[in-house]
Amino acid sequence: MPDGGPQYGERLWVEQAADRVAARVGPALPDLGASTPAVGRLQSVPRPYLLVGAIILFDIFVLHSVQQVTVGRNTVLDNPSWLALPATVLLAVFTNRYARDRYADACREIRIGSRIESGSTAFQRLVPARPKRALFVVAVVGYYLYLIYTGRIPTIAEYEGVAGLFGWLVIIPFGYAPVLLETAAMYASLHISLPRRFDREDVKFYYFDPHNLGGLRPIGELLKHSFYLFVAGVVLLTVLLYAPFVFPEFLYTPYRQPETVVTALLTGLWAVGVLSIGFSLLTLHRYMRKRRRRKLKSLEKRFYETVGDPSDVQNALNDSDELERFQRERHRIGQVRDTKEFPASTAMWLQIIVGGIIPLVIQWGVRWLTRVI
């Protein structure tokens, strides 16, 4: 983010963790980079991707090699669809960085600092720190309770051995989960908290927006793109959970089909995505409608004061000064009247509807195939 102006967004968990790791192992990298071009190129990759990539490579090659040696099985070879999990985590890293950076760009593009009260910090952070930490604690505890309640730990120990237990009990909750949970927190903040801030902070409306969207087009685009990324994540999770049961002749897993609670959670994720994009856009719509109609009412009052008696068409606007004032007021009314009450176009609504249907269609299709097979 550029210096010299308001700063929006925040440091991500994965960025903070990557900085700590770099502070410990980084001093040795410059010499390696000077002598090894490959290492030098790696140094140009953003640290979050390096950290998460290292965890994924450790999981795929080290832990699964240990599994192969100790129990004679390899989850990646038996069930390549397992790779949808690290793919989802990498997508989450991209999503988090994109959402944070695009949010900061959108705040600067709409000049949010000049449209709210001086000194307000409502838009500086996308997600408050405490709710994120609370979400992480609740999710990890719930994850461990799920493993215990469903009796998965003995199956993991038998099929995947010690390496598998380490992956399920350490890598997933403390390597992958923080990234995924921060994605959930940022998505919830974008679609629930952010739209409400516009009304709560009485953000000024921009009636001379070339797009006639009240200056909120970047916010609408951010909500749309974050929704698309959410849909992609749900599709990857669907592949991860159901692929072995759709293609049992190619993929093997010792685990049962997802329990009802898991299926319900996946359906719930789809519902959350659809309801969240609807809620965020409708909340902005209410804010835009209220501001627009309030301004139209104010201009209508001024219009009557300018014209005098609007019903007397023949004798009105005979004076040149009066005519000039009338034209100015009519222009102002036209600017407000032409401003839309939604931060989205018709094409954008169609794209959102199609994107919202895709995960549900895939899930229903996969569940139907598993029953047929």
Side-chain angles (χ1 to χ4, degrees):
M1 287 176 274
D3 298 330
Q7 301 296 304
Y8 303 103
E10 60 264 14
R11 296 286 291 170
L12 303 174
W13 280 344
V14 68
E15 291 175 336
Q16 298 174 26
D19 288 344
R20 294 192 190 100
V21 172
R24 296 185 179 183
V25 303
L29 292 182
D31 293 334
L32 289 173
S35 58
T36 310
V39 176
R41 285 193 294 271
L42 277 178
Q43 289 180 292
S44 64
V45 177
R47 288 176 180 175
Y49 291 107
L50 291 177
L51 176 61
V52 173
I55 295 173
I56 291 173
L57 292 176
F58 174 79
D59 191 0
I60 293 175
F61 293 104
V62 177
L63 291 184
H64 286 85
S65 295
V66 172
Q67 179 191 358
Q68 181 74 46
V69 172
T70 55
V71 297
R73 305 298 300 239
N74 189 310
T75 301
V76 176
L77 298 179
D78 290 345
N79 178 23
S81 67
W82 175 89
L83 294 174
L85 174 59
T88 303
V89 177
L90 285 174
L91 176 65
V93 175
F94 171 81
T95 300
N96 294 348
R97 287 167 55 84
Y98 170 82
R100 190 270 316 276
D101 295 343
R102 189 67 190 92
Y103 169 74
D105 292 341
C107 285
R108 287 191 290 269
E109 188 174 346
I110 68 175
R111 298 175 175 87
I112 194 67
S114 65
R115 297 167 68 172
I116 57 178
E117 290 187 8
S118 177
S120 174
T121 60
F123 290 89
Q124 287 186 0
R125 286 185 65 92
L126 184 56
V127 187
R130 287 186 179 180
K132 280 201 300 185
R133 289 194 290 265
L135 176 64
F136 174 74
V137 172
V138 170
V140 170
V141 171
Y143 171 76
Y144 283 131
L145 290 176
Y146 167 76
L147 291 180
I148 295 171
Y149 176 76
T150 58
R152 287 215 167 201
I153 293 180
T155 306
I156 295 170
E158 179 182 354
Y159 172 65
E160 301 184 34
V162 176
L165 284 173
F166 185 83
W168 281 82
L169 300 179
V170 178
I171 296 295
I172 291 179
F174 298 105
Y176 297 157
V179 178
L180 297 173
L181 292 173
E182 189 162 37
T183 304
M186 296 184 75
Y187 186 84
S189 182
L190 277 173
H191 290 268
I192 298 176
S193 174
L194 177 62
R196 297 169 66 186
R197 292 180 209 171
F198 280 86
D199 195 27
R200 187 176 65 243
E201 296 298 317
D202 198 23
V203 177
K204 296 176 184 177
F205 217 51
Y206 180 23
Y207 293 106
F208 291 89
D209 176 21
H211 303 280
N212 289 329
L213 296 176
L216 295 184
R217 184 189 60 83
I219 300 298
E221 290 291 323
L222 172 59
L223 295 176
K224 179 184 73 172
H225 293 153
S226 66
F227 173 69
Y228 290 164
L229 291 169
F230 179 88
V231 168
V234 173
V235 171
L236 283 173
L237 287 176
T238 303
V239 172
L240 172 68
L241 292 173
Y242 289 102
F245 309 104
V246 176
F247 306 104
E249 64 275 17
F250 303 109
L251 308 173
Y252 169 77
T253 179
Y255 306 109
R256 299 187 302 272
Q257 289 192 30
E259 295 84 357
T260 303
V261 64
V262 176
T263 301
L265 285 174
L266 196 61
T267 304
L269 282 177
W270 170 83
V272 165
V274 173
L275 292 175
S276 63
I277 188 66
F279 175 84
S280 58
L281 291 178
L282 287 175
T283 301
L284 285 175
H285 162 63
R286 287 196 297 267
Y287 152 76
M288 296 171 72
R289 181 181 61 184
K290 182 167 69 174
R291 294 300 184 279
R292 177 178 176 269
R293 295 185 179 182
R294 187 169 67 187
K295 180 60 68 175
L296 278 174
K297 187 175 181 179
S298 172
L299 290 175
E300 183 181 12
K301 182 179 179 181
R302 288 181 52 175
F303 187 75
Y304 276 100
E305 294 173 352
T306 300
V307 176
D309 186 3
S311 61
D312 188 3
V313 178
Q314 290 180 337
N315 298 319
L317 306 176
N318 290 325
D319 182 80
S320 60
D321 292 337
E322 186 182 31
L323 177 60
E324 185 179 349
R325 288 195 302 271
F326 166 78
Q327 291 174 339
R328 286 200 301 267
E329 291 303 321
R330 188 171 63 174
H331 176 69
R332 293 188 181 105
I333 291 175
Q335 287 294 128
V336 178
R337 187 183 58 244
D338 293 341
T339 298
K340 298 176 183 177
E341 295 181 348
F342 270 104
S345 62
T346 303
M348 179 174 164
W349 274 111
L350 292 174
Q351 294 167 2
I352 289 172
I353 291 172
V354 172
I357 292 174
I358 288 174
L360 187 63
V361 171
I362 292 176
Q363 185 182 353
W364 283 354
V366 166
R367 291 174 62 185
W368 177 79
L369 284 174
T370 56
R371 288 196 296 268
V372 171
I373 295 175

